[in-house]
Amino acid sequence: MDIILLGPPGAGKGTQAHRLVEHHGMRQLSTGDMLRAAVKARTPVGIKAQAIMEKGELVSDDIVSELIDAELTAMGSATGAIFDGYPRTAAQAEMLDDILAKHGRKLDHVIELKVDEDALVERITGRFTCAECGEGYHDTFKLPAKEGVCDVCGATEFKRRPDDNEETVRHRMDVYRSETAPILPGYEKRGIVHRVDGMASIEDVTAALDDILV
Ligand code: AMP
């Protein structure tokens, strides 16, 4: 089963994708994570993408689609894919159709996480992760039980994304509204769109997704 998780930055796509990987043995394909890894490794793609990402602009459709194509080539056809943060433009949505057809796959569900934008700014600007295991935390909603120590792995280093500041977040939301939201009607015509309340608790959102995926 292949699905797209759609929603503005901070809607919980990454968090839910992690949980679907655990519950359903699917694979998370996050172009944001792939690009951050490329930036860290200083690959040619990473060097090109870094400044664009820091401004909250979109990296080129060709670059992200090639990343997705390469991941699908590397993974077996038996494993379901969760597209997280891709597609983000009409052109990417078309490219994804072609890529899936090439790999003999098809899209089963597009799930939109509906959220309140002002609340998202607080969600995003407060978030940080363990530098070691990637566990997610939040200044207001989820601090580690012991200050400065990761609950999961005990590491003491944490990191924040450079594009998680208020100005960039607001811009990323504008980009979502103008570039990404318009791809939904095309999927609606195919009858594969589901809407889930992304402001509900993490557990409730996961339960709603589990219901869709059964
Ligand atoms: P994300 O982790 O999904 O919020 O992505 C972080 C940043 O990576 C975005 O603000 C874009 O600059 C870039 N990015 C991630 N996915 C895409 C995509 N599908 N198309 C274009 N740019 C992307």
Side-chain angles (χ1 to χ4, degrees), residues 7-10 13-14 30-36 49-65 67-68 84-89 92 124 127 161 163-164 168 171-172 175 180:
K13 302 184 295 292
S30 157
T31 41
D33 285 350
M34 292 174 206
L35 290 167
R36 277 184 287 280
Q50 184 167 17
I52 300 171
M53 293 171 75
E54 277 170 12
K55 281 188 278 185
E57 303 283 354
L58 292 182
V59 174
S60 89
D61 295 328
D62 288 336
I63 287 181
V64 290
S65 297
L67 291 172
I68 289 287
D84 160 13
Y86 177 93
R88 254 175 158 100
T89 64
Q92 289 178 26
I124 299 186
R127 71 186 180 180
R161 282 172 47 171
D163 58 347
D164 275 353
T168 311
H171 183 58
R172 284 157 61 203
V175 172
T180 308

Side-chain angles (χ1 to χ4, degrees), residues 61-82:
D61 295 328
D62 288 336
I63 287 181
V64 290
S65 297
E66 275 164 29
L67 291 172
I68 289 287
D69 192 12
E71 287 291 323
L72 286 176
T73 304
M75 70 189 243
S77 55
T79 309
I82 306 161

